[in-house]
Amino acid sequence: MIVRLALAELRNRPARALFLLAGYALGVAVMVVLLAVGEAMLEQARDRELVGGGDVVVVPAGISAEMLKAGGVSSLFLGIDHARFLQRNLLESPRGRREHGIRSSSPILDGKPLELFAGGRRLSVIATGEIPSRSQAAGASPNLLSGRWMDSDADRQWTAPPQSALLREIDRFHVPPVRDSTWAEWHYFNVVLDEGRWVYATLMVAGEVGVPGRWGGRILLTVREADGTHRSLTRDLPGEQARFDTASPDLRFGERAHVRLEGDAYRVAADAGGVRVDLRVQPAPRRYFPPTDLGGSELVSGYVTPALYARADGTVCLPACEPVRGAQAYHDHNWGVWRDVSWEWGSASDERLSLLYGVVRGGEAAAEGLFAYLVDEDGVRGVYRPGAIQFLEMQTAPAAGRQIRVPRRFAFQDPRQGLRVTVDVAAVHVTDMNRPTRRWFVQMRGVATIQERGRTVGRLRGFFETYVDE
C-alpha cells in the first residue's frame, strides 16, 4: 500500500515528489558524513599522539562520546572544575599512583579564547597550553626544532606548590560582588584542649564592606569547660580597624588580633571578654577541601577547608593561661550572603583519615544537596552524594531556660558507593537564633563511625552542626 501511494504521488505531482526525495537524500548524506567525521574524531581522541598522550583522557562531567564526536568540548570552551586539586590530590596523589597505577597526568588547555594586546592593537586569539614535564611524562611532548621546552616557575607552582603557596592559593579574602548588609566572611578555628574542653575562635568581617560606618569586624571566642558549660564572648571593631588580603588568608584587627600565614602554618591571636588565644596551627599535608562557591540571585556562599586536620601549639588564657602542645585543630574559611541561611555541617578526623560533610540551605543553594568527602595523607579517598540526614535518636538539651530536642544519633549514606556514616553525639551546645519562629543552632561533639561497603574504616572524633525548629 505504501509503495502504491508513493508511486501515485510521484505520478500526480512529480516536481514536488522529486524535491522532497532530494531533500531526504541530502539529509541522509549529511548524517552519513557527520557520523564518519565523528568516528574519526573519536578515534583521534583515543590517539595518544593527538590528544596529549597517555592512556585515559579526562573530560568535564556530562560530556559523552557523542559530544566528543561533534567537537563539543572545544566548541563550547568547556573546562574541568578544580583541575589543580584533581591533578595534585587525586591523579598524582600517592593513592592514585599506588592503587590506580597513574604514573603521570598532563593538564592541557586547548582552544582557550583570549585577547592579546600588542603594539596598541587588541587581537582575539585562541590559545593552547601544556606543562612540559607532564607532557613529556605522558609521551606527548612536541618534536622541538630548536630551543628548549622546560617547566617555568608558574608550571611548578601549578603542579606541586609548596605548602605555603598552596595555602595562599586556596585561602584568601574576597571583595563582595554586591554590597549587602548580610555579607560576612570569616576564619574559623577549633582546638581540642583535652577530651572535655575545647575552644572555637572566629574572626569575621561583615556588613557593607568598604562603606564607612556600614561594616566592621567581630571576634567570637567560645570556650567549653570540663563541666560541660559554654562561654561565648565577643568583641566588635569598626571597619577602619580591619585589614584583609585578597591574595592570602591574612586578616588583622588593630594590634591585638590577627590571622597570619607564617610559612606553612597559621598564627592566630584573638581576645574577647577576658579570654585570649595565641596559637600556631600547622595543617597536615593533603588534608584539605578546595574552595567551592554556590551562587544564585538569592544566595552567594563560599567555603574552603585548608586544615581538616592540624596540630596547634601556643597559649590559651581562659582567663588563667595554659600551654597548648600538639592539640588537634581544624580550620575553615567561609564567605557569602547569610540572609535566612541554615546548614548541616560536620568534620571529624584522626591521625590518618578525615571526614567532611555539609549542605547549605537558603535561596537557590538548597538544590545543591548534601555532600560527603573522605581524605587522608595519600589523597582523596572518596567524594559522595548521600541522601538526607536521618535523625535516629533525639535527646533534650538546655537553652534559654528551656529543654530543646536535639539529635543524640544521626546517620547518612550513599548506597551507590557503599558509604554509611553514623554519628553518636557526646556533647551539645544550643544557641537561640532570635527569630520570630523559634530556631535553634545546635553545635555537637561526637564520634563518626564510617563504613565503606559494610566494613568500618574509621571512628573519628569531630564537631557537627545543625538547626532545629520548634
Side-chain angles (χ1 to χ4, degrees):
M1 179 60 71
I2 295 175
V3 174
R4 293 179 63 185
L5 289 174
L7 291 174
E9 178 68 16
L10 184 61
R11 183 173 58 253
N12 294 331
R13 295 184 177 180
R16 189 176 74 170
L18 290 173
F19 178 77
L20 292 174
L21 183 61
Y24 178 77
L26 180 62
V28 171
V30 170
M31 287 301 298
V32 170
V33 171
L34 287 176
L35 288 173
V37 172
E39 287 296 333
M41 293 180 66
L42 188 58
E43 288 303 316
Q44 290 179 358
R46 294 169 176 155
D47 190 331
R48 297 178 55 167
E49 299 301 325
L50 294 175
V51 294
D55 301 305
V56 176
V57 177
V58 179
V59 297
I63 301 300
S64 64
E66 286 70 25
M67 179 174 281
L68 191 62
K69 289 180 183 181
V73 173
S74 60
S75 64
L76 296 177
F77 304 112
L78 298 177
I80 297 176
D81 288 338
H82 299 108
R84 297 185 185 201
F85 175 75
L86 295 175
Q87 170 92 10
R88 302 162 182 167
N89 238 28
L90 186 66
L91 298 176
E92 292 195 349
S93 69
R95 172 169 287 104
R97 296 183 187 279
R98 183 183 67 249
E99 297 184 7
H100 305 293
I102 299 175
R103 294 192 301 272
S104 66
S105 59
S106 176
I108 301 173
L109 186 69
D110 187 25
K112 180 71 173 179
L114 298 174
E115 288 189 339
L116 177 66
F117 294 87
R121 299 174 58 199
R122 183 174 69 178
L123 305 174
S124 296
V125 299
I126 300 296
T128 296
E130 299 181 50
I131 295 177
S133 64
R134 295 308 190 267
S135 294
Q136 292 164 6
S141 57
N143 295 321
L144 295 180
L145 298 180
S146 64
R148 297 184 302 168
W149 195 48
M150 301 174 61
D151 287 1
S152 66
D153 289 340
D155 293 328
R156 287 184 285 272
Q157 196 85 339
W158 202 99
T159 54
Q163 181 80 342
S164 59
L166 172 65
L167 293 174
R168 289 182 179 276
E169 175 189 309
I170 66 174
D171 191 3
R172 58 184 179 81
F173 274 78
H174 303 76
V175 176
V178 294
R179 284 177 174 155
D180 190 307
S181 61
T182 68
W183 173 272
E185 182 164 10
W186 67 89
H187 284 301
Y188 167 79
F189 296 84
N190 70 47
V191 180
V192 179
L193 303 177
D194 56 47
E195 188 51 42
R197 298 191 308 142
W198 49 84
V199 177
Y200 306 140
T202 300
L203 289 85
M204 173 189 296
V205 293
E208 298 179 32
V209 176
V211 180
R214 303 295 294 274
W215 73 292
R218 167 168 286 191
I219 297 171
L220 170 62
L221 299 176
T222 300
V223 181
R224 206 270 190 176
E225 305 286 4
D227 61 3
T229 60
H230 284 75
R231 289 184 291 146
S232 293
L233 310 126
T234 61
R235 181 161 72 91
D236 293 339
L237 305 100
E240 292 76 17
Q241 293 188 29
R243 297 289 183 271
F244 60 86
D245 189 352
T246 58
S248 80
D250 291 1
L251 171 66
R252 174 174 290 278
F253 293 143
E255 297 299 322
R256 296 186 300 167
H258 60 258
V259 174
R260 184 171 63 238
L261 191 63
E262 295 183 349
D264 58 358
Y266 293 87
R267 189 64 181 264
V268 183
D271 65 283
V275 171
R276 178 169 181 79
V277 300
D278 189 349
L279 298 167
R280 183 179 184 273
V281 178
Q282 177 77 59
R286 299 192 182 277
R287 306 276 280 274
Y288 70 95
F289 183 78
T292 301
D293 285 285
L294 303 177
S297 58
E298 299 180 16
L299 175 69
V300 176
S301 176
Y303 177 78
V304 61
T305 309
L308 279 163
Y309 181 78
R311 289 295 181 182
D313 297 279
T315 304
V316 295
C317 302
L318 310 173
C321 294
E322 60 183 277
V324 177
R325 297 188 180 93
Q328 183 172 331
Y330 165 94
H331 165 51
D332 66 29
H333 182 156
N334 300 259
W335 62 94
V337 175
W338 302 99
R339 184 186 300 108
D340 298 323
V341 169
S342 63
W343 56 81
E344 305 283 349
W345 170 88
S347 175
S349 293
D350 63 11
E351 291 81 359
R352 63 180 188 84
L353 181 65
S354 292
L355 164 73
L356 178 69
Y357 73 85
V359 60
V360 176
R361 297 193 178 96
E364 299 168 3
E368 293 295 327
L370 183 70
F371 79 92
Y373 172 73
L374 287 174
V375 64
D376 57 25
E377 62 185 5
D378 288 336
V380 176
R381 189 181 182 105
V383 179
Y384 310 89
R385 296 307 298 266
I389 293 177
Q390 301 171 323
F391 295 100
L392 306 176
E393 298 179 25
M394 303 296 286
Q395 61 182 326
T396 59
R402 317 173 56 168
Q403 292 293 317
I404 308 300
R405 283 178 56 80
V406 299
R408 182 196 300 272
R409 168 180 271 204
F410 59 93
F412 55 84
Q413 59 184 337
D414 182 347
R416 296 171 302 173
Q417 299 190 66
L419 174 75
R420 180 176 174 82
V421 176
T422 304
V423 177
D424 292 288
V425 177
V428 178
H429 177 53
V430 182
T431 304
D432 187 355
M433 299 304 294
N434 296 316
R435 301 283 178 85
T437 57
R438 297 303 289 271
R439 168 166 286 188
W440 307 88
F441 177 49
V442 183
Q443 294 172 292
M444 299 166 283
R445 172 78 167 159
V447 177
T449 301
I450 302 169
Q451 294 179 307
E452 289 181 330
R453 307 197 182 281
R455 183 174 64 92
T456 298
V457 297
R459 289 186 174 90
L460 314 178
R461 297 187 180 276
F463 294 91
F464 314 93
E465 296 176 352
T466 188
Y467 286 77
V468 297
D469 296 317
E470 285 190 316

